Amino acid sequence: MRSEQVVFNELAQLCASPGFIHVISHFVFRDNVVGYKDELRGEDYAKMFSPSRLIRTEISTLIGLMARSPRALGLPVPAEVERLAKKAEELLEELHEILKEPVLADMKKAMAGGTFDPTYNPFKKAEALREPIFYAAESAYSFQYQDFSVFKYARDGGWLKENKGFTPDEARAAVIAITAFLSAKLFEVMKSLRGKHPRDWTVFDGFVFTSAEIADVSGIAKTTVDAVVDAFSFQDDGNPTFNTLSDFNAVNAFPILKGEGDARILLQQVSLMEALYDTPFYWLNADKGYRAKASANRGAFTEDFTADRLRQVFGADKVFLNVDIWATSAKKTKLGEIDVLALIGDIAIVVQAKSKKLTLDARKGNDLQLQIDFKGAVQDACDQGVDCAKHLLAGGVYVADPQGNEITAAAGLAKIHPVCVVSDHYPSLTFQAQQFLNVESVKGMERPLVCDIFLVDVLAEFLATPLRFLSYLELRSAVGDNIALSHEIVALGYHLKRNLWLGEYDYMALDDDLSVDVDIAMAARREGIDGQKTPRGILTDLQGTSVGRLIREIEARSEPRTLAVGLELLKLSGASALQLSRMIDGIVLEAKRSGRHRDVTFAMDKEKTGITVHSNFEPDWIAANTLKQHCERRKYSTKASKWFGVSVSPGEGEFRFGLVLDHEWKRNFQMDAQVATLPAPQSIDFLERAMFGKAQPNLGRNEPCFCGSRLKYKKCHMLKV
């Protein structure tokens, strides 16, 4: 195998070939442009997950190497374009194999003695992580970079206007105008190829614009467009810092290239959007007199943004910024600080925000620097979150807002979800967290979620209610490191399809294409793309069902004892939730018809939990006692760790109250006698057939189903017979 630098240098020489920009244009169009007819669907988007596709970091490498030499923009003959493209892909693939080699070599060495240590992990070394870092999946959508830049630099608007000639809003508007113009132009260029000879085929013109064109179509003052374009234009200085694969590549920070005359070239639109989000901080930081303020503003943005998204889910009165934990109300001894605190019932989300980046030395394979970077960006934040969680769970502390007012809702907490949030794209963040994060086990505290603000935004978009959001945090904590994935949106995509629940599996590897429905839905919601705005799955399956109604009613109350019931209901698979809904429909209709008590119970063996649903006309205090006694017997007989009870009204099936039994199982001879004749809980399939089985043979396909669901028999229980 050749050395990395030899291959890199050969690739640099290839990129300096006359007309190589047409090869890059071809790659960008082939691998970054998605076409669709009426509505964007998963099959249209599938090309974005092809292993043969060049990812953005690979294309940026080609652009950066091309920018090291003067550009000849003439179109080579087709055979030369084909040769250059083929050779570029071969060299990029060779680089990929070289980056993978340290892991393979290390594993061979570990197995050389004929035995293999199961605790051995080659990815603890920075050199082995260079491959997953370089080929890390994108953690943010391009429109997020574009839109969030306004919030990120809102406090720095005066400096940007004075020193760069535009405000954050003006910069965003100009970038939107540029990308919209080029998208439309590329479509026209593609249509124009029909009338050209194949030797003249190139899509390069679809990436070229002038400031005057942008000003004309957008109505933005040309001086403003000029200022934005100039600020993000590469200076044609030979890209002197880009001498190895992991060096700083200036075209990532300044993605607009200079063309002939007034023409400008933008090959990757997403690079301009990310630069809009990222590059201004370096301008601000370069001003020594403004550096401290810029840094403070950056940290405040991360906290403010996260709090804003959590308020959308939990409500403004449930989310607090910059919370202090004091030993007593005298506020003499500070025990901890929380960047963002969200409270609902007896559950809290503790957010610690950081604005650290992965340095170039870490990207180059420096073990010490990688550990330093991870500690500063993630580990320190998680440690702070754990310390705060311990104080909150222990109780007896004084929790106050920045004005010193006590946050009384923070008392008596039973469960805490720590969340570590970073403000920038941190390559392979999830993978690195699985390798390096050390977390102390604390009773009542879930495993921390490590993510960026872009994921917080997506979670708040789809898990838009407190129970949905908390349910995801609980399930994501439960699976922990027992799933392999490239980034957190993959886990969310799987969750929205069928709940993030391992079930009978101990470990799952999730492919990147599981995020496709989320990708399409975000584009439909934020950019107006024609596509499904809500991924089909857990957000749609429960609409119009009894379980879905119960979850909504539980959520509206936000009572600690009932929130746990709602979270348990959300753990059900789509099929189980539909079955339970039909069972509830059956018992509430029968309870109303007969005037007698009806119930249904089922256990979940692997999770050591179960649920009992009662429906009767008894007063609440009698019904609650009956339900509690029933649940206690069921919990004891199955030796379950938890048991959930729900009471619903006859007829309508409205939620009355719920309970949770959460205590360690202990032998009790009195209970042994009480449960001796108690029948074992049956599977929900068995219970459903026992309740409705006799009615099945007499129904026609189009008749209303016997279970009271108001669906036709063929759309409901006929599927289960």
Side-chain angles (χ1 to χ4, degrees):
M1 184 173 288
R2 296 195 293 172
S3 74
E4 177 184 324
Q5 196 59 45
V6 167
V7 178
F8 181 85
N9 291 340
E10 184 177 344
L11 185 61
Q13 186 176 1
L14 185 77
C15 292
S17 302
F20 192 78
I21 198 166
H22 295 273
V23 175
I24 298 177
S25 301
H26 161 70
F27 287 148
V28 172
F29 178 78
R30 185 193 69 184
D31 295 336
N32 285 348
V33 178
V34 177
Y36 64 95
K37 188 176 181 182
D38 300 315
E39 180 180 273
L40 183 59
R41 295 180 174 86
E43 52 267 32
D44 301 317
Y45 215 68
K47 62 178 285 185
M48 302 301 288
F49 304 99
S50 169
S52 63
R53 168 181 175 261
L54 296 186
I55 63 172
R56 180 155 70 102
T57 50
E58 291 178 302
I59 294 177
S60 294
T61 298
L62 299 180
I63 298 172
L65 292 176
M66 178 188 68
R68 298 202 319 182
S69 305
R71 285 181 296 284
L73 302 181
L75 176 63
V77 297
E80 178 64 1
V81 172
E82 184 177 353
R83 183 191 73 82
L84 292 172
K86 182 180 179 181
K87 187 61 177 178
E89 290 190 291
E90 289 175 353
L91 292 173
L92 287 171
E93 180 58 30
E94 188 174 356
L95 280 173
H96 195 177
E97 293 300 317
I98 292 170
L99 289 178
K100 290 191 293 186
E101 180 59 22
V103 174
L104 299 176
D106 216 23
M107 292 182 71
K108 289 177 183 177
K109 186 186 298 183
M111 298 176 68
T115 59
F116 184 73
D117 181 1
T119 64
Y120 170 72
N121 183 356
F123 291 105
K124 290 288 187 180
K125 298 180 179 179
E127 187 180 17
L129 278 169
R130 289 189 64 221
E131 191 270 344
I133 288 173
F134 184 83
Y135 294 95
E138 298 285 343
S139 68
Y141 297 108
S142 57
F143 45 83
Q144 288 180 308
Y145 286 130
Q146 171 185 279
D147 295 341
F148 299 171
S149 66
V150 176
F151 302 105
K152 186 176 183 180
Y153 300 109
R155 295 177 174 87
D156 305 305
W159 189 98
L160 289 170
K161 186 68 174 179
E162 180 179 349
N163 292 274
K164 294 294 179 178
F166 52 79
T167 66
D169 281 304
E170 290 171 337
R172 174 181 176 271
V175 167
I176 290 175
I178 291 168
T179 56
F181 174 83
L182 289 178
S183 295
K185 185 177 182 182
L186 184 59
F187 182 69
E188 294 301 320
V189 168
M190 284 301 301
K191 290 198 299 184
S192 72
L193 297 184
R194 298 172 185 170
K196 293 184 178 180
H197 191 279
R199 66 171 174 266
D200 298 321
W201 284 357
T202 178
V203 292
F204 169 65
D205 288 343
F207 300 93
V208 180
F209 70 95
T210 66
S211 293
E213 289 175 321
I214 303 304
D216 287 343
V217 299
S218 67
I220 302 172
K222 185 175 180 299
T223 53
T224 301
V225 177
D226 282 335
V228 173
V229 170
D230 289 345
F232 292 100
S233 287
F234 180 72
Q235 295 304 308
D236 280 337
D237 57 357
N239 207 1
T241 60
F242 192 42
N243 297 306
T244 71
L245 190 62
S246 300
D247 280 340
F248 173 69
N249 183 359
V251 299
N252 290 324
F254 306 99
I256 298 176
L257 305 179
K258 295 177 182 178
E260 297 176 344
D262 294 333
R264 294 292 184 269
I265 304 163
L266 177 61
L267 292 166
Q268 294 199 107
Q269 294 184 11
V270 64
S271 293
L272 177 58
M273 296 177 187
E274 185 173 10
L276 181 65
Y277 181 85
D278 200 39
T279 302
F281 177 75
Y282 296 99
W283 302 334
L284 299 165
N285 201 50
D287 185 338
K288 293 182 179 179
Y290 194 78
R291 183 178 299 164
K293 185 175 181 180
S295 181
N297 290 345
R298 185 184 183 196
F301 156 73
T302 311
E303 297 167 9
D304 290 347
F305 183 92
T306 304
D308 177 71
R309 289 303 184 265
L310 290 180
R311 290 187 187 108
Q312 293 178 14
V313 177
F314 295 94
D317 61 329
K318 300 289 196 303
V319 179
F320 305 88
L321 261 171
N322 300 318
V323 173
D324 295 321
I325 303 176
W326 301 90
T328 66
S329 58
K331 294 184 286 186
K332 293 182 178 180
T333 304
K334 184 181 288 189
L335 301 176
E337 299 176 353
I338 301 172
D339 291 333
V340 184
L341 176 67
L343 298 165
I344 179 167
D346 58 355
I347 304 174
I349 298 175
V350 171
V351 178
Q352 301 294 2
K354 293 292 182 181
S355 302
K356 304 289 186 180
K357 286 180 172 291
L358 187 66
T359 61
L360 291 175
D361 282 343
R363 292 173 187 262
K364 291 179 178 180
N366 184 311
D367 277 320
L368 178 60
Q369 189 60 53
L370 186 70
Q371 296 284 355
I372 291 172
D373 289 353
F374 185 83
K375 185 178 185 299
V378 178
Q379 187 66 61
D380 287 349
C382 284
D383 290 344
Q384 292 167 20
V386 170
D387 287 342
C388 291
K390 287 159 63 173
H391 292 306
L392 292 174
L393 290 167
V397 294
Y398 188 84
V399 184
D401 64 18
Q403 288 73 45
N405 302 311
E406 183 179 10
I407 303 173
T408 57
L413 295 173
K415 182 182 292 185
I416 292 180
H417 294 279
V419 178
C420 169
V421 179
V422 297
S423 62
D424 298 303
H425 170 58
Y426 198 95
S428 200
L429 178 60
T430 299
F431 189 72
Q432 289 195 54
Q434 289 180 333
Q435 311 308 315
F436 300 124
L437 185 63
N438 295 311
V439 182
E440 179 183 353
S441 178
V442 178
K443 185 178 180 181
M445 186 193 80
E446 300 290 329
R447 179 183 174 84
L449 174 67
V450 178
C451 64
D452 51 36
I453 65 165
F454 309 107
L455 178 74
V456 173
D457 177 55
V458 179
L459 292 179
E461 183 70 33
F462 294 107
L463 308 175
T465 64
L467 270 183
R468 288 286 187 191
F469 201 98
L470 291 173
S471 175
Y472 180 76
L473 292 182
E474 187 169 308
L475 292 173
R476 182 66 184 91
S477 171
V479 299
D481 293 340
N482 294 325
I483 56 173
L485 67 164
S486 61
H487 58 101
E488 286 294 334
I489 293 179
V490 174
L492 176 64
Y494 181 84
H495 174 71
L496 295 180
K497 284 181 181 291
R498 60 195 63 168
N499 260 2
L500 189 60
W501 197 247
L502 290 179
E504 69 270 28
Y505 303 106
D506 297 315
Y507 189 87
M508 288 193 301
L510 304 181
D511 287 339
D512 284 2
D513 59 4
L514 282 168
S515 70
V516 66
D517 289 343
V518 178
D519 298 340
I520 292 173
M522 283 295 289
R525 292 178 179 220
R526 299 290 178 85
E527 293 196 299
I529 298 296
D530 295 321
Q532 190 74 34
K533 291 186 176 181
T534 300
R536 291 183 177 88
I538 65 170
L539 299 181
T540 58
D541 289 348
L542 296 183
Q543 292 179 359
T545 68
S546 294
V547 170
R549 183 178 66 250
L550 289 177
I551 290 170
R552 289 195 304 273
E553 292 171 357
I554 289 170
E555 203 157 40
R557 299 191 186 187
S558 296
E559 299 169 352
R561 65 179 182 176
T562 59
L563 283 174
V565 177
L567 290 171
E568 192 66 19
L569 290 173
L570 283 171
K571 291 179 182 177
L572 296 172
S573 67
S576 295
L578 291 174
Q579 285 181 300
L580 179 58
S581 291
R582 290 192 284 263
M583 294 295 293
I584 293 173
D585 290 340
I587 66 170
V588 299
L589 290 174
E590 179 59 20
K592 181 179 181 180
R593 184 192 64 77
S594 66
R596 300 172 60 187
H597 170 90
R598 290 289 182 266
D599 62 70
V600 60
T601 291
F602 72 96
M604 291 164 277
D605 292 334
K606 185 172 183 180
E607 288 77 42
K608 289 294 183 182
T609 63
I611 187 167
T612 294
V613 183
H614 278 194
S615 183
N616 54 54
F617 287 102
E618 300 290 349
D620 281 359
W621 68 275
I622 295 178
N625 187 56
T626 302
L627 179 63
K628 184 173 183 292
Q629 291 180 2
H630 191 172
C631 290
E632 284 175 341
R633 292 195 298 271
R634 284 298 186 186
K635 181 180 185 300
Y636 185 82
S637 67
T638 58
K639 299 183 179 180
S641 59
K642 289 184 182 181
W643 202 272
F644 300 85
V646 176
S647 178
V648 295
S649 63
E652 297 301 321
E654 294 180 348
F655 179 78
R656 295 175 67 187
F657 52 81
L659 64 85
V660 181
L661 302 179
D662 184 6
H663 53 262
E664 184 181 350
W665 187 91
K666 291 182 179 180
R667 171 73 65 184
N668 183 305
F669 293 107
Q670 196 173 27
M671 286 295 291
D672 284 340
Q674 291 184 29
V675 303
T677 58
L678 191 68
Q682 302 291 339
S683 71
I684 197 166
D685 287 324
F686 178 90
L687 294 171
E688 193 175 27
R689 290 181 183 278
M691 179 178 289
F692 301 121
K694 294 180 181 179
Q696 293 172 359
N698 300 321
L699 288 179
R701 290 169 52 83
N702 294 311
E703 291 184 62
C705 189
F706 51 81
C707 71
S709 66
R710 298 189 180 92
L711 295 174
K712 291 182 179 180
Y713 176 49
K714 67 180 180 182
K715 294 289 188 180
C716 193
H717 270 76
M718 182 178 175
L719 301 175
K720 303 294 180 184
V721 178

